Amino acid sequence: MSDDLDGVRGLVADRIATIHDHPSPGIVFRDITPVLADPVTLAGAVDGLTAMTRDLGVQRVIAAEARGFLLGPAIARELDAGFILARKPGRLPRRTVAVDYALEYGQDRLEAHADLLDPGTRVLVHDDLLATGGTAGALCALVEALGGVVVGCSFLVELDGLGGRERLAGHDVRTLLRYADG
């Protein structure tokens, strides 16, 4: 499986576009939209993320809008798990549980329906990209507030040096691709 995963990593890495100085000078932006646009690469990304997390015994996958929704449901489907939407305040119609979290310039909040996790449900936190870990940390806190157990965190891309992995200390973090230049 390691060779297969290396092949998937190469396939996905070849499709990720690197944009310098976007959205501001000095930033290196990793654009995953070419991965999503190519059916072979998209399938490879889902297969790779699924292969990396299959051993976790996942019962639900949770992801935050909007980018976490891109691959999260497909991963859940492949893991024979359910998918939970974590959304901005006021967008879910039933009773919710919420967590507030810090952003670089302010606060934000994520909510999920309160009735979608039984105590002890094994949950995979997923997002497209791990940078500072703020959103993923909030998702972990939300799962725990709902009574679930975070069994791992998966990401298509990780930007090293921005503190995300450290912020998720104590959680099993798995990424398909890592970039050292943050």
Side-chain angles (χ1 to χ4, degrees):
M1 178 45 110
S2 177
D3 289 341
D4 291 343
L5 204 49
D6 288 342
V8 167
R9 285 184 171 112
L11 176 71
V12 173
D14 287 347
R15 289 285 182 178
I16 291 179
T18 301
I19 314 299
H20 294 276
D21 300 319
H22 178 81
S24 58
I27 301 295
V28 178
F29 186 84
R30 303 295 179 174
D31 180 12
I32 69 164
T33 58
V35 171
L36 303 174
D38 179 66
V40 172
T41 309
L42 175 59
V46 171
D47 290 349
L49 289 161
T50 302
M52 291 181 352
T53 55
R54 189 169 302 284
D55 66 310
L56 297 174
V58 173
Q59 296 170 292
R60 299 282 188 287
V61 175
I62 190 169
E65 68 174 292
R67 291 185 322 235
F69 293 179
L70 298 174
L71 298 176
I75 294 165
R77 162 70 175 75
E78 292 300 313
L79 292 173
D80 196 27
F83 182 76
I84 296 175
L85 306 167
R87 303 214 55 200
K88 302 292 182 190
R91 296 194 178 159
L92 294 172
R94 299 189 321 276
R95 188 173 69 81
T96 62
V97 171
V99 295
D100 294 315
Y101 64 104
L103 297 170
E104 188 174 349
Y105 300 105
Q107 289 281 111
D108 211 345
R109 171 178 278 209
L110 287 174
E111 297 179 343
H113 281 127
D115 60 352
L116 297 180
L117 286 181
D118 293 326
T121 301
R122 299 175 60 81
V123 181
L124 175 69
V125 168
H126 173 74
D127 207 350
D128 68 319
L129 185 124
L130 175 59
T132 64
T135 303
L139 286 169
C140 290
L142 187 56
V143 167
E144 292 162 359
L146 290 165
V149 176
V150 176
V151 295
C153 301
S154 73
F155 305 92
L156 183 66
V157 173
E158 179 178 355
L159 304 178
D160 289 342
L162 297 179
R165 188 171 284 265
E166 293 76 18
R167 188 169 192 169
L168 297 174
H171 294 289
D172 186 350
V173 176
R174 301 179 184 194
T175 59
L176 195 59
L177 295 173
R178 292 177 79 172
Y179 289 94
D181 60 1

